[in-house]
Amino acid sequence: MKKIGLIWRIIIAIGLAVGFGLLLPIIHEGFAHGFVRFFATFNMMFGGFLNFIVPLIIIAFIAPGIAKLGKGSGKLLGWATLLAYASTIVAGVMAFFAATTLLPNFIHAVGSGSIANAGKAPGEAFFEIEMTPVMGVMSALLLAFVLGIGMASIGSKSMLSFFEEFNALIEKVITYVIIPLLPIHIFGIFLNMTYSGEVAKVLSVFSVVFIMIIVLHFVILSIQYTLAGAVSKRNPFGLMKTMAPAYMTAIGTQSSAATIPVTLRQAKKAGASNRVADFTIPLFATIHLSGSTITLVSCSIGVLLMNDLPTSFASYLPFILMLGVTMIAAPGVPGGAVMAAVGLLATMLGFDESMVALMIALYMAQDSFGTATNVTGDGALAIILDRFNKKESSNLSE
């Protein structure tokens, strides 16, 4: 029997939560209240564990990711990193202005604090367990930067090997603990929201945010391939058609890393040289996250608007700039980008556990489309960089 994908598990969890939340109070109010409290207890424990693991995720993803950027062919590595980061930031800024312009027209009526309250009431946990993180999120970020830059500067192999194994360990925790339990966590959140009468408003917001994100994904791809077509003197739509197999593969795998072979093959077919494609495509799979950034920024603004909280550009620009760094190496695991961003959501945007849970649900519902946008954009960046590399090589030979 074919395994049910994560997206479908989340959809099923939301559907069951709505059904139970509507039917159980009709059947037996006392049992319904206890049922809601049971899942509130689970959510308390899961949320506590998630808070505990976030600093470890940051260190495991960022430290080896930065260290590996120290390897490569000098200037080509620098330009590739700069191009990928610029593309990611442009996508985030575009998403901010689109979301803050469009979403208030649909989301303003949900009501102040309703989403946060829906995650906590009326069901309260039977007991509380404190799971104190080993360090704060910002401490983890600083430590990851220091370790990553330090390993890259001294060319440490033993430390890098340790952190690569640590990265593999944390990925196992995400893949075999957090991801499988995530639908249950989302079930508990939506059960509470249904029981408190807020779920219809939330689901209506989900659909609006989802449609806007898909449109923005195609907008950023059009921009990337228009630039690639201009520098390579090729039809941008023809280039996008060539990269379509990578897009479809990423939808299925939900992993930029797992899609690398297809992305590499199609980038070469689109005109990128073997040397540039072989170097940049695996690198871009790690550091270029324009689609994921659009999703994270749009979803987070949707959640803030649902709670009548402010969404100023002054607060979002640092968040977007940090996203481009914290998500390094996250594409290796489905949902890794949002897991890496959980700490930033809490510290920079003020998300509580219920808001984080909704954010994860929103993100996971279209994670495969964000990943597909990431890898398809990798082809455009490889073509742009290849053209630049050829010009530079030509100038040096003259």
Side-chain angles (χ1 to χ4, degrees):
M1 181 177 178
K2 188 177 180 180
K3 186 179 179 182
I4 300 175
L6 179 61
I7 294 176
W8 286 107
R9 279 181 278 160
I10 290 176
I11 292 173
I12 291 171
I14 293 174
L16 289 175
V18 173
F20 279 115
L22 293 173
L23 294 177
L24 287 181
I26 300 174
I27 298 171
H28 194 286
E29 181 65 33
F31 175 77
H33 187 68
F35 189 75
V36 172
R37 288 192 66 188
F38 172 82
F39 281 97
T41 304
F42 172 85
N43 284 353
M44 176 273 298
M45 297 176 66
F46 182 87
F49 178 73
L50 190 59
N51 288 334
F52 173 82
I53 205 72
V54 161
L56 303 181
I57 291 174
I58 289 172
I59 295 173
F61 281 1
I62 296 177
I66 292 177
K68 290 176 184 177
L69 293 183
K71 302 176 181 179
S73 52
K75 191 173 289 187
L76 183 61
L77 170 67
W79 281 112
T81 304
L82 180 63
L83 185 61
Y85 187 71
S87 176
T88 300
I89 300 310
V90 167
V93 171
M94 180 188 73
F96 171 83
F97 286 109
T100 52
T101 301
L102 300 174
L103 292 184
N105 298 321
F106 301 95
I107 301 179
H108 66 278
V110 172
S112 177
S114 62
I115 306 306
N117 291 334
K120 300 171 184 175
E124 296 181 356
F126 288 114
F127 53 85
E128 296 286 337
I129 297 179
E130 186 175 351
M131 303 182 193
T132 305
V134 293
M135 67 183 71
V137 170
M138 291 309 299
S139 297
L141 280 170
L142 290 172
L143 181 60
F145 289 144
V146 170
L147 291 171
I149 295 171
M151 286 187 286
S153 64
I154 67 175
S156 174
K157 295 182 179 178
S158 57
M159 285 187 68
L160 178 58
S161 177
F162 168 80
F163 279 101
E164 284 178 333
E165 291 187 5
F166 183 53
N167 177 275
L169 186 152
I170 295 299
E171 282 194 7
K172 291 288 186 183
V173 172
I174 293 174
T175 302
Y176 294 105
V177 179
I178 294 178
I179 296 299
L181 293 178
L182 195 56
I184 302 175
H185 183 51
I186 292 172
F187 174 88
I189 293 293
F190 275 83
L191 180 67
N192 245 332
M193 286 192 292
T194 305
Y195 197 58
S196 60
E198 298 291 344
V199 73
K201 300 174 184 177
V202 175
L203 291 178
S204 66
V205 170
F206 268 43
S207 61
V208 171
V209 174
F210 184 89
I211 294 171
M212 187 194 74
I213 287 172
I214 298 300
V215 172
L216 289 177
H217 283 167
F218 282 101
V219 169
I220 194 65
L221 285 175
S222 298
I223 294 172
Q224 292 167 344
Y225 278 93
T226 297
L227 292 174
V231 300
S232 65
K233 296 180 173 59
R234 294 187 177 95
N235 185 333
F237 296 104
L239 294 175
M240 292 179 70
K241 183 179 179 180
T242 302
M243 292 301 300
Y247 185 92
M248 299 306 297
T249 302
I251 288 179
T253 62
Q254 291 184 260
S255 170
S256 296
T259 313
I260 286 175
V262 179
T263 310
L264 185 59
R265 182 190 66 199
Q266 298 307 122
K268 291 178 180 179
K269 286 184 178 181
S273 67
N274 288 347
R275 174 179 179 269
V276 171
D278 288 341
F279 176 73
T280 59
I281 293 300
L283 177 66
F284 287 151
T286 300
I287 65 175
H288 180 227
L289 298 136
S290 55
S292 297
T293 302
I294 285 173
T295 305
L296 286 167
V297 171
S298 301
C299 291
S300 62
I301 289 174
V303 173
L304 288 174
L305 290 173
M306 281 189 269
N307 288 274
D308 284 347
L309 295 175
T311 56
S312 68
F313 186 67
S315 65
Y316 255 87
L317 182 59
F319 173 72
I320 294 169
L321 295 174
M322 288 301 297
L323 273 181
V325 178
T326 56
M327 291 190 297
I328 288 177
V333 57
V338 71
M339 294 302 169
V342 165
L344 297 182
L345 292 169
T347 57
M348 302 186 76
L349 299 182
F351 275 44
D352 61 19
E353 289 183 12
S354 299
M355 294 168 71
V356 167
L358 280 172
M359 178 70 190
I360 293 173
L362 271 169
Y363 182 90
M364 289 296 192
Q366 65 76 68
D367 179 35
S368 56
F369 294 96
T371 301
T373 303
N374 294 340
V375 302
T376 307
D378 293 348
L381 268 57
I383 293 168
I384 294 171
L385 198 62
D386 183 55
R387 186 65 178 173
F388 170 81
N389 187 62
K390 287 177 180 176
K391 281 187 176 181
E392 185 174 356
S393 299
S394 176
N395 291 336
L396 289 175
S397 62
E398 290 178 356

